[in-house]
């Protein structure tokens, strides 16, 4: 067995390390999966450990299968039979069924999926006579899930506010309803197993004695419950082998706690720590730039990534005039890379912070007649909330549009079900008109001849929606497209319907705002033109199913992947890092790690791209360069002059696209002394977003930068010179 001969010195040190706790800090592209699988093979082949004496856990079934196949390929199926390998949840389910006599459920318990869990939360809220508008099921369930991941049971749920008290009661009833159904949720699998091992020493010792070695993949993504589990299971022999990288911990919103790496070193002070610093993916310039970014992170163990793949080309930096130019630059650059045969289309990827950013990129690819694929989300115009808003506008434009009417008649829910909709169609056919016409007429209430053909329970919500629909029709000819868009949003209270406090809800609302930005471009054009443009752009029929096409994906979805050429777009403060992280140091640290993960996906070419203005071709908001760009050494970049960085807002990179050369920056003049005009707590008004409150203000690059929270759009970072803010008394 010569598999050890193919390892580099650090990998070999990790694989052949003796007993005891071992922490392998694996940099990106350093071969961590190889180390983990060969550690298992080494223990079996060289140390005589039997497969059933080992437990190896990871986060996805795909990763578990891959790990099993790799070990089998090294040693053969017979030598690896009995290996306890799987995800945390699958392993916990197996243990719980074996020890069910000690649990509040029987061994044939069922595992409720996400929809089941939501239904149980809704039932608990209803039984407790609480308002599900104030205590939204998805938000409450998220709070319950976080508590379980932190090993907090209902009786210990922390209460500071009245809302906390209500959530605690819902949590308790939720658990009771689960038990009544002999059911558990996904989080229970972890919580109940951790509690089982903590409360029953004999059970803990049985499994801790059996598993002489516990191996953990993606350790930086574990939560507190998972960390407690692996501590319990390794308590007898202390042979715990964890592979991870705190620099790649980007899933805090899922409960992951990168601090588990610090806890490991505290709980196991004699642990061997092995750094995997040789990178097999990227060229050195890319690694140097990525390290310059991540080295500014707090409370981390530094690594010096290196590669034998050569220095490579400098990183390309480009500032477009606006977000349309940003998208065009990306598509044109990919087309050139493919035409020159530097890369195949499938070797190119475009990464962004939020799903809403894909809209202009998709349009640019479609306009250029270039196929692409979208990972981790529907295409922009295929997203539910986007289709909803387009359907509302289509219905206002054409009340006979039955498809749009069926889509939105009960969005948000207004008590109009399938049976009522069927009756509406029946009444319309009998009258020889469209269902939309019936609805508009029912705005007159009982004066409408159609009103009496519905039950009172059905007629009232139809009449209410008909009245709203009639109002939209009445103002449509006088309103601009963005004005009509805003009225519909306000009348249906769509923001509250979408933004339920979860990350998914915030992303969905951002998609609506992105469509709203497109509507701004039709401020002096007709609704018909807007709908025609959207219909043509959203037609995906011409897209190729060929997988050798560029990939569009979020930075979160990029982890674990690699590409020849990577474009990271939207490098503006407020986008990356996201504005939601401005007041949360921990979130800001995760944003930094997210940028690092994106950079280290690139093998040979990395493009960093931003726009001087965003918001479309109607109202455009000037942007501020991402603070992370300041961490990049100028000598690593092709396109960013440190001397000219102060002129960015006016396009001062010196780039001349016609000559493809760099011109020297203008001579610097003495900067004028600027006194801050705004201060925290001050109420201000914005021409578009109306009233807001100043959170912070500072002088930066000959301008005053103001952070303002607006009720309409949340936090915005603005240039006082360009934002036209008015101070309110």
């Amino acid at each position: 067995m010569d598999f050890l001969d193919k390892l580099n010195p650090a990998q070999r040190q990790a694989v052949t390390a003796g007993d005891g706790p071992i922490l392998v800090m694996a940099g990106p592209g350093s071969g961590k999966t190889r180390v983990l699988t060969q550690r298992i093979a080494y223990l079996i082949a060289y140390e005589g450990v039997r497969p059933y004496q080992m437990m190896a856990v990871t986060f996805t079934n795909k990763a578990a299968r891959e790990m099993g196949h790799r070990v089998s390929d090294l040693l053969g199926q017979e030598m690896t039979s009995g290996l306890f390998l799987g995800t945390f949840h699958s392993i916990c389910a197996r243990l719980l069924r074996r020890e069910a006599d000690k649990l509040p459920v029987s061994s044939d318990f069922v595992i409720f999926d996400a929809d089941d869990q939501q239904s149980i939360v809704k039932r608990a809220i209803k039984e407790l006579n609480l308002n599900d508008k104030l205590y939204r099921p998805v938000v409450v369930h998220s709070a319950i899930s976080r508590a379980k991941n932190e090993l907090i049971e209902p009786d210990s749920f922390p209460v500071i506010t009245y809302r906390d008290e209500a959530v605690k009661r819902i949590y308790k009833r939720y658990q009771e309803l689960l038990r009544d159904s002999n059911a558990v949720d996904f989080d229970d699998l972890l919580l109940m197993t951790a509690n089982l091992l903590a409360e029953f020493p004999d059970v803990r010792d049985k499994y801790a004695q059996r598993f002489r070695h516990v191996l953990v993949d993606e350790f930086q993504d574990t939560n507190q419950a998972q960390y407690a589990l692996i501590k319990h299971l390794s308590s007898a022999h202390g042979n715990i082998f964890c592979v991870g990288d705190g620099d790649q911990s980007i899933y805090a919103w899922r409960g992951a706690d990168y601090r588990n790496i610090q806890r490991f070193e505290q709980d196991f002070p004699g642990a061997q720590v092995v750094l995997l610093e040789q990178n097999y993916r990227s060229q050195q310039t890319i690694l140097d730039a990525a390290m310059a970014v991540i080295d500014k992170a707090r409370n981390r163990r530094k690594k010096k990534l290196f590669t034998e793949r050569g220095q490579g080309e400098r990183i390309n930096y480009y500032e477009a005039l606006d977000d349309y130019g940003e998208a065009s630059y990306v598509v044109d650059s990919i087309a050139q890379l493919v035409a020159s045969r530097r890369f195949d289309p499938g070797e190119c990827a475009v990464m962004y912070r939020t799903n809403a950013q894909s809209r202009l990129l998709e349009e640019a690819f479609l306009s250029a007649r270039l196929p692409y694929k979208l990972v981790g989300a529907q295409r922009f115009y295929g997203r539910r909330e986007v289709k909803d808003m387009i359907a509302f506008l289509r219905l206002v434009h054409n009340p006979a549009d039955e498809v749009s009417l069926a889509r939105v008649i009960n969005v948000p829910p207004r008590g109009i079900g399938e049976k009522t909709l069927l009756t509406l169609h029946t009444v319309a056919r009998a009258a020889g008109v469209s269902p939309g016409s019936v609805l508009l007429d029912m705005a007159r209430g009982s004066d409408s001849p159609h009103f009496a053909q519905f039950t009172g329970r059905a007629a009232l919500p139809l009449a209410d929606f008909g009245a709203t629909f009639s109002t939209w029709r009445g103002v449509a000819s006088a309103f601009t497209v963005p004005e009509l868009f805003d009225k519909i949003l306000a009348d249906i209270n769509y923001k509250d319907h979408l933004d339920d406090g979860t990350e998914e809800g915030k992303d969905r609302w951002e998609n609506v705002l992105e469509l709203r930005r497109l509507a701004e471009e039709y401020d002096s054009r007709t609704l018909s033109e807007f709908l025609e443009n959207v219909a043509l752009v959203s037609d995906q029929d011409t897209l190729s199913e060929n997988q050798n096409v560029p990939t569009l994906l979020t930075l979160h979805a990029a982890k674990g992947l690699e590409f020849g050429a990577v474009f990271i777009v939207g490098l503006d403060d407020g986008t990356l890092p996201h504005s939601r992280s401005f007041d949360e140091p921990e979130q800001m640290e995760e944003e930094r790690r997210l940028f690092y993960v994106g950079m280290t996906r690139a093998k040979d070419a990395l493009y960093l791209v931003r726009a001087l203005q965003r918001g479309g071709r109607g109202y455009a908001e000037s942007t501020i360069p991402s603070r992370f760009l300041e961490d990049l050494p100028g000598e690593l970049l092709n396109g960013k002059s440190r001397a000219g960085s102060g002129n960015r807002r006016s396009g001062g990179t010196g780039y001349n696209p016609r000559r493809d050369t760099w011109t020297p920056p203008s001579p610097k003049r003495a900067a004028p002394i600027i006194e801050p005009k705004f201060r925290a707590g001050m109420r201000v008004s914005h021409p578009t977003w109306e009233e807001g409150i100043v959170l912070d203000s500072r002088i930066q690059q000959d301008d005053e930068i103001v952070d303002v929270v607006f009720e309409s759009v949340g936090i915005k970072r603005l240039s006082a010179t360009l934002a036209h803010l008015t101070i309110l008394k």
Side-chain angles (χ1 to χ4, degrees), residues 331-626:
V331 173
D332 291 347
S333 297
I334 290 177
Q336 291 174 17
L337 291 175
V338 173
S340 65
R341 298 190 177 182
R342 280 197 62 196
F343 298 100
D344 286 337
E347 294 181 285
C348 302
V350 189
M351 301 176 186
Y352 36 82
R353 176 61 178 84
T354 65
N355 280 315
Q357 292 173 259
S358 77
R359 195 260 297 180
L360 289 179
L361 291 163
E362 292 181 68
E363 290 185 7
F365 273 100
L366 288 169
S367 177
R369 293 187 167 277
L370 294 176
Y372 65 93
K373 64 180 176 181
L374 197 66
V375 172
Q378 289 180 302
R379 291 184 170 90
F380 180 81
Y381 290 102
R383 292 168 192 157
R384 186 180 75 191
E385 56 277 8
V386 174
K387 291 174 74 70
D388 283 350
M389 285 306 303
I390 292 172
F392 276 117
L393 292 167
R394 281 175 49 179
L395 187 62
V396 173
H397 180 64
N398 175 21
D401 185 344
E402 295 187 19
V403 172
S404 293
L405 177 63
R407 181 176 185 89
V408 301
I409 194 169
N410 201 41
V411 176
R414 52 177 63 91
I416 303 175
E418 291 293 331
K419 186 176 179 180
T420 301
L421 185 59
L422 180 61
T423 304
L424 177 63
H425 279 266
T426 302
V427 170
R429 280 198 300 271
V433 297
S434 70
S437 296
V438 172
L439 198 61
L440 287 169
D441 191 69
M442 287 188 69
R444 297 189 292 141
S446 58
D447 291 338
S448 169
H450 307 299
F451 192 88
Q453 299 183 61
F454 297 89
T455 65
R457 185 175 181 181
L460 290 176
L462 283 173
D464 285 345
F465 183 57
T468 304
F469 182 17
S470 180
T471 301
W472 296 340
R473 287 280 297 166
V475 301
S477 59
F479 277 22
T480 64
V481 174
E483 286 172 343
L484 179 60
F485 194 104
D486 290 343
K487 180 160 182 59
I488 293 173
L489 284 181
D491 287 350
I492 65 174
N493 203 14
Y494 202 41
K495 183 178 190 298
D496 286 347
H497 173 62
L498 292 180
D499 190 357
D500 52 18
T502 64
E503 290 297 320
E504 180 184 2
K506 291 182 174 68
D507 285 346
R508 291 174 65 192
W509 177 242
E510 285 188 355
N511 288 332
V512 173
L513 294 181
E514 180 62 27
L515 186 65
R516 171 64 172 74
R517 283 189 278 274
L518 176 62
E520 280 282 359
E521 299 178 21
Y522 290 78
D523 188 54
S524 59
R525 299 164 70 184
T526 66
L527 177 59
S528 176
E529 290 176 291
F530 174 80
L531 293 173
E532 180 180 327
N533 175 271
V534 167
L536 292 174
V537 170
S538 61
D539 183 4
Q540 305 293 331
D541 294 338
T542 59
L543 289 182
S544 168
E545 292 300 319
N546 176 17
Q547 292 302 297
N548 185 24
V549 296
T551 300
L552 278 60
L553 71 170
T554 65
L555 287 161
H556 280 105
K559 188 175 173 185
L561 303 178
E562 60 180 39
F563 301 91
V566 168
F567 294 75
I568 302 179
V569 301
L571 283 166
D572 314 315
D573 254 21
T575 303
L576 182 66
H578 199 282
S579 59
R580 293 197 294 265
S581 68
F582 285 169
D583 298 323
E584 299 290 340
E586 288 293 338
Q587 289 185 25
M588 183 62 73
E589 290 290 287
E590 181 156 321
E591 294 289 305
R592 180 179 293 278
R593 295 194 295 269
L594 193 59
F595 184 34
Y596 170 77
V597 166
M599 296 175 74
T600 54
R601 300 308 95 193
K603 298 194 310 190
D604 301 303
L606 177 60
Y607 293 75
L608 305 179
V609 192
R610 63 175 300 266
L612 294 169
Q613 291 184 326
R614 291 193 185 278
R617 290 167 177 161
Y619 175 80
E621 174 191 354
S622 294
T623 63
I624 305 297
S626 170

Side-chain angles (χ1 to χ4, degrees), residues 669-683:
R669 290 178 291 181
I673 298 175
I674 300 176
E675 294 294 333
K677 181 180 177 183
F678 301 91
R679 64 178 184 277
M682 183 178 284
R683 292 176 60 247

Side-chain angles (χ1 to χ4, degrees), residues 284-294 315 599 606 632-633 636:
Q284 192 63 50
T285 297
I286 294 172
L287 297 179
D288 290 344
M291 283 187 291
V293 170
I294 201 63
I315 293 165
M599 296 175 74
L606 177 60
L632 297 172
L636 299 181

